[in-house]
Amino acid sequence: MKSGVLGGTFDPIHNGHLAVAEEVRRRLGLDEVIFVPAGKPWLRMNAPLSAATYRVRMVRLAIAGRPYCKLSLVEIERAGPSYTVDTVNRLRAQLDSGDELFFILGWDNLAELPRWHEPRQLVRACSLVAVPRPGYDLPDLKPLEALVPGLAASLILLDAPLVDISASLVRERVSRGLSIRQLIPGPVADYIEEHGLYASENQV
Ligand code: ATP
């Protein structure tokens, strides 16, 4: 069994996330991609974040009808900050010993890896799969490897998908009264409208 893990704030989930899940699944032959919404991401402690109930509901709506996409509430249900290494260890504990785990992240996040909690343990606990993100260069891997020994052996670099969408863009467009239907699944757009999410500027 091969499982991908896509962690994020998903505030909101968008077509970029879904394209990443689909591309990595196809290229690596994954059996499932587990979406893990963050509880309190410690690197963004001071940034405003929508309530977990909203973010989780939007993930559910977005992945409905994609049987290989799963949802884990492991970070939402845990008190305190969300550390990826803890999440991966918890997910691994639910798998069989021969199962493979792939943590998926964008190039923007790969550059930040040395600032994460226990990055050396993380690269030992799973493979990292880095996908391109328009607007971000692939970080220089030599200094990254020096800061996080073991990274190079753990890392799988993909050159697709290239989808220029971010949750910040979605939030900004909602707050300006612009359409977001080309950026996120229809049911998620409906949900945002129904609940008046991101309408005020301080949520952007
Ligand atoms: P925000 O704009 O609020 O920072 P985001 O769009 O980056 O949000 P997150 O939920 O923080 O969304 O992202 C979760 C993971 O998905 C991260 O590893 C991020 O790099 C990756 N990701 C998000 N959007 C894309 C995209 N369009 N292409 C590639 N990777 C992406």
Side-chain angles (χ1 to χ4, degrees), residues 7 9-10 14 17 44 106 108-109 132-133 163 165-168 171:
T9 46
F10 301 117
H14 53 67
H17 297 127
R44 322 186 2 166
D108 54 321
N109 262 337
R133 187 136 197 206
V163 182
I165 300 177
S166 67
S168 321
R171 297 194 300 273

Side-chain angles (χ1 to χ4, degrees), residues 113-192:
L113 191 67
R115 292 176 58 215
W116 291 20
H117 185 66
E118 303 288 2
R120 292 179 198 208
Q121 278 185 30
L122 177 65
V123 299
R124 275 202 297 270
C126 64
S127 300
L128 292 193
V129 184
V131 292
R133 187 136 197 206
Y136 294 87
D137 291 328
L138 177 65
D140 197 346
L141 295 178
K142 263 198 175 165
L144 273 186
E145 170 69 20
L147 291 167
V148 186
L151 171 64
S154 160
L155 186 63
I156 299 167
L157 287 173
L158 298 188
D159 57 7
L162 285 170
V163 182
D164 194 4
I165 300 177
S166 67
S168 321
L169 173 69
V170 176
R171 297 194 300 273
E172 194 213 301
R173 289 183 65 88
V174 175
S175 77
R176 293 168 56 204
L178 301 173
S179 171
I180 48 171
R181 297 216 167 241
Q182 70 283 23
L183 306 176
I184 61 177
V188 179
D190 293 341
Y191 186 87
I192 289 173

